Amino acid sequence: MSEATATPTLAGAQRALEMLANLVIHVAVVALLGLVVVQGWQVFARYVINDSPSWTEPVTLLLLSTAMSMGAAAGVHTNRHFGFFLLADHLNPQVKRVVDALVPLVVASIGAVIAWWGWLLWLDGLHIKAAGAELPQSVNYLPLSIGGALMVVFALNRAVQALRPAAAEGDR
């Protein structure tokens, strides 16, 4: 495959991942805004109306889980997650390239575990209703599972990007 035919596909995939990451960030923002509205209503209803709604706690937990999971996935995409960047900057270029390829694979592995167990926990509690809301008790695990799956996708993309310069140098 020539470089000319590989580039548009790669650029298209990158564009799709950028659009997905933007969507994920927007979902996290909407979840955070929803969290503020729900908690604001909870405080108002409890202290002003003196009639605390029961649905606010499960909805708050769902919104918090969504914001956290989507934010973590977006952090993987933008490479703004926890890391030892100072250590990596002091490695020689060959070792740094290996570390740059291995770190996303570790993140992808962790994301896969989160996605898998989040999915199993979500399925396990579907038949149990949450107290105070018409939601399954395990609804908080669904965003966790989706966020883990997105972490896998974004981390594997990072690994491919880390390996790409090595392949381009080997072709020359």
Side-chain angles (χ1 to χ4, degrees), residues 83-145:
F84 296 103
F85 302 111
L86 239 135
L87 174 66
D89 289 343
H90 287 82
L91 297 174
N92 71 40
Q94 291 82 14
V95 175
K96 185 175 180 347
R97 179 168 286 147
V98 170
V99 169
D100 286 345
L102 285 177
V103 167
L105 295 178
V106 171
V107 172
S109 300
I110 293 168
V113 169
I114 292 170
W116 175 254
W117 285 106
W119 183 258
L120 290 180
L121 288 168
W122 178 65
L123 289 176
D124 191 44
L126 281 177
H127 64 284
I128 304 168
K129 292 295 178 196
E134 288 297 317
L135 296 169
Q137 180 70 35
S138 61
V139 72
N140 299 331
Y141 295 112
L142 183 59
L144 192 67
S145 180

Side-chain angles (χ1 to χ4, degrees), residues 23-129:
L23 175 66
V24 167
I25 290 169
H26 284 90
V27 168
V29 167
V30 168
L32 283 174
L33 291 174
L35 190 69
V36 169
V37 168
V38 170
Q39 284 302 293
W41 175 251
Q42 169 66 27
V43 169
F44 178 79
R46 181 174 184 174
Y47 294 109
V48 176
I49 303 174
N50 200 23
D51 186 23
S52 185
S54 61
W55 59 267
T56 55
E57 183 181 349
V59 171
T60 296
L61 291 174
L62 174 61
L63 292 170
L64 184 62
S65 177
T66 301
M68 180 223 29
S69 300
M70 299 303 118
V76 170
H77 177 72
T78 59
N79 204 26
R80 292 186 179 148
H81 53 83
F82 178 77
F84 296 103
F85 302 111
L86 239 135
L87 174 66
D89 289 343
H90 287 82
L91 297 174
N92 71 40
Q94 291 82 14
V95 175
K96 185 175 180 347
R97 179 168 286 147
V98 170
V99 169
D100 286 345
L102 285 177
V103 167
L105 295 178
V106 171
V107 172
S109 300
I110 293 168
V113 169
I114 292 170
W116 175 254
W117 285 106
W119 183 258
L120 290 180
L121 288 168
W122 178 65
L123 289 176
D124 191 44
L126 281 177
H127 64 284
I128 304 168
K129 292 295 178 196

Side-chain angles (χ1 to χ4, degrees), residues 1-10 171:
M1 180 186 270
S2 71
E3 195 173 316
T5 58
T7 304
T9 305
L10 198 56
D171 291 341

